[in-house]
Amino acid sequence: MNGSQTSYILAMTAVCFAITILLRAFPFLLFGSGRECPKIIRYIGRVLSPAAIAMLVVYCLCAVFRNKNFAENGFGISELVASVIVIALHLWKRNPMLSILCGTIIYMILIQKVF
Amino acid sequence: MQKSQTFRASFIASLPVLMGYTAMGMAAGILLAGKIERQDITFWAFLTSASSISGALQFAMVDWIANRTALIDVMLLTLFLNIRYAMYGFSLLERFRDIGFWKKFYLIWTLTDETYALEVENKVPTGGDPIRYALGIAALDHLYWICGVTAGAAAGKFLPFSNEGIDFAMTALFLVVLTDQCREKSNRIPAAVGIISAIAGRVFFSVDNMLLPAMIIIITSFILLRKKLDSGVKA
């Protein structure tokens, strides 16, 4: 049934593209022509970003256990260890890709070989 | 200043992103080709990565295609996964003023976390054109991402090891972004608000439904806490 899957993928791609580009364009659409940005919007904008990222971290960690049993998979120890390594390595070396690569590789080894 | 010298500066600035996007892009491409059984999967890797240019979406799309997730849910999840992009442009409003529609369109389209960071850093060589510099970074980062995801999808089937757990790269990305943001003291309480709200969302809803309640709690909390958190300082 590849035909209908193709239509789905096209539609999904279009939706993702449209929403993402609208989000990126948001400040320019609203305040591009020199209109003054209300203080409350600036405030929300400033505090929302770290909050959204933190929320996404929690979301990602919860999503791991969408179909996997928490207790049967080491009570999240692989996730915890890998996350700590990412943070520690990043605080130390400040290299995003080193942190992401090492954390991911260690995580893969942990869930495939250890737990 | 030679056009090529400015471009060279863009290239050098973008080298860390070359590393990162290749690594993370390949992870996403490998995952996509692994989960979605299609002859033309490499083409879709190309199209999705080129159009959205978003790591979080690239990983999420794999599940969406596999499960044929309802488009309304795709819409909402995209909104929450990428809402931080709506804040990036505020720092670039002045820089991108009056540069012509197509340049502005391209710079906005390609505004990812890493590209944003480089644009704000703005290490334009003296005498160089800042917009040419910005476009160079944007285009290079865009290219790196497309190549990473497409190559991952093309080669993914031939990996000598299992790709189980490779999607941890997305979690790792967010942890890295969060860590960098929390170096700045004023971001720590907002981050804490985010964590608590997310946990609250998860306690009362399933994983797939937790983001909307979490966002509502976050916005409500910030409005209530405005006196404490908004010193009316730099915006």
Side-chain angles (χ1 to χ4, degrees):
Chain A
M1 269 267 286
N2 261 343
S4 84
Q5 189 188 48
T6 307
S7 316
Y8 176 79
I9 301 179
L10 269 170
M12 178 203 77
T13 304
V15 167
C16 292
F17 168 74
I19 305 260
T20 303
I21 204 168
L22 280 171
L23 285 172
R24 287 171 174 154
F26 177 74
F28 300 94
L29 293 172
L30 248 53
F31 304 106
S33 43
R35 276 167 54 193
E36 181 61 36
C37 185
K39 291 217 177 106
I40 190 162
I41 301 281
R42 288 212 222 180
Y43 159 68
I44 296 281
R46 184 168 55 81
V47 289
L48 186 58
S49 188
I53 304 273
M55 175 188 77
L56 289 171
V57 168
V58 174
Y59 169 73
C60 285
L61 292 170
C62 290
V64 171
F65 300 102
R66 191 188 269 122
N67 300 314
K68 275 171 33 169
N69 185 294
F70 189 66
E72 282 166 24
N73 284 287
F75 292 94
I77 185 139
S78 309
E79 288 73 20
L80 180 65
V81 168
S83 300
V84 167
I85 286 175
V86 170
I87 296 174
L89 196 53
H90 196 62
L91 286 170
W92 179 34
K93 287 285 186 185
R94 286 202 190 216
N95 183 337
M97 297 320 158
L98 179 70
S99 314
I100 294 174
L101 255 179
C102 287
T104 304
I105 290 172
I106 288 173
Y107 180 73
M108 288 172 72
I109 294 174
L110 283 174
I111 66 165
Q112 288 184 26
K113 303 285 184 210
V114 183
F115 293 105
Chain B
M1 157 109 343
Q2 291 270 30
K3 287 183 182 181
S4 57
Q5 279 178 285
T6 309
F7 182 76
R8 188 120 108 20
S10 301
F11 175 68
I12 292 174
S14 76
L15 281 174
V17 182
L18 168 61
M19 307 287 158
Y21 277 6
T22 306
M24 198 168 64
M26 290 189 72
I30 289 169
L31 192 64
L32 183 65
K35 268 213 181 166
I36 310 294
E37 287 294 329
R38 287 184 69 109
Q39 294 282 50
D40 55 4
I41 193 64
T42 308
F43 167 72
W44 295 111
F46 167 77
L47 190 66
T48 51
S49 63
S51 55
S52 294
I53 327 174
S54 160
L57 285 189
Q58 203 63 51
F59 283 98
M61 279 181 196
V62 179
D63 279 334
W64 291 339
I65 297 173
N67 301 323
R68 271 207 133 172
T69 307
L71 290 179
I72 182 79
D73 290 330
V74 167
M75 215 181 307
L76 288 172
L77 280 168
T78 301
L79 184 63
F80 298 133
L81 283 172
N82 284 341
I83 193 135
R84 67 193 183 286
Y85 291 142
M87 300 312 151
Y88 288 168
F90 284 113
S91 328
L92 298 166
L93 280 173
E94 285 316 308
R95 184 113 45 92
F96 292 174
R97 210 177 271 286
D98 298 325
I99 60 177
F101 178 79
W102 289 111
K103 288 184 181 160
K104 202 166 189 175
F105 177 81
Y106 189 72
L107 287 169
I108 290 174
W109 176 24
T110 54
L111 204 55
T112 62
D113 296 310
E114 294 72 16
T115 304
Y116 169 72
L118 287 178
E119 304 288 12
V120 162
E121 207 183 35
N122 203 25
K123 289 203 173 129
V124 192
T126 26
D129 173 17
I131 296 303
R132 172 165 296 277
Y133 177 77
L135 282 168
I137 289 186
L140 285 168
D141 289 352
H142 194 186
L143 181 67
Y144 302 152
W145 181 246
I146 296 174
C147 289
V149 179
T150 310
K157 299 242 169 182
F158 308 109
L159 276 186
F161 54 89
S162 160
N163 66 20
E164 193 193 353
I166 205 166
D167 47 354
F168 188 77
M170 180 162 97
T171 313
L173 166 72
F174 288 135
L175 279 168
V176 159
V177 175
L178 184 64
T179 304
D180 277 335
Q181 288 194 332
C182 286
R183 289 182 202 273
E184 173 73 47
K185 284 199 183 129
S186 62
N187 284 334
R188 290 178 198 171
I189 294 183
V193 169
I195 294 176
I196 296 170
S197 306
I199 295 175
R202 178 64 184 94
V203 161
F204 293 108
F205 294 86
S206 68
V207 178
D208 292 309
N209 295 321
M210 66 179 270
L211 287 181
L212 179 56
M215 287 290 283
I216 292 174
I217 298 173
I218 288 173
I219 305 259
T220 310
S221 307
F222 283 142
I223 294 178
L224 293 172
L225 291 171
R226 191 180 176 190
K227 287 246 160 72
K228 293 232 163 123
L229 293 179
D230 189 7
S231 48
V233 168
K234 44 172 169 126

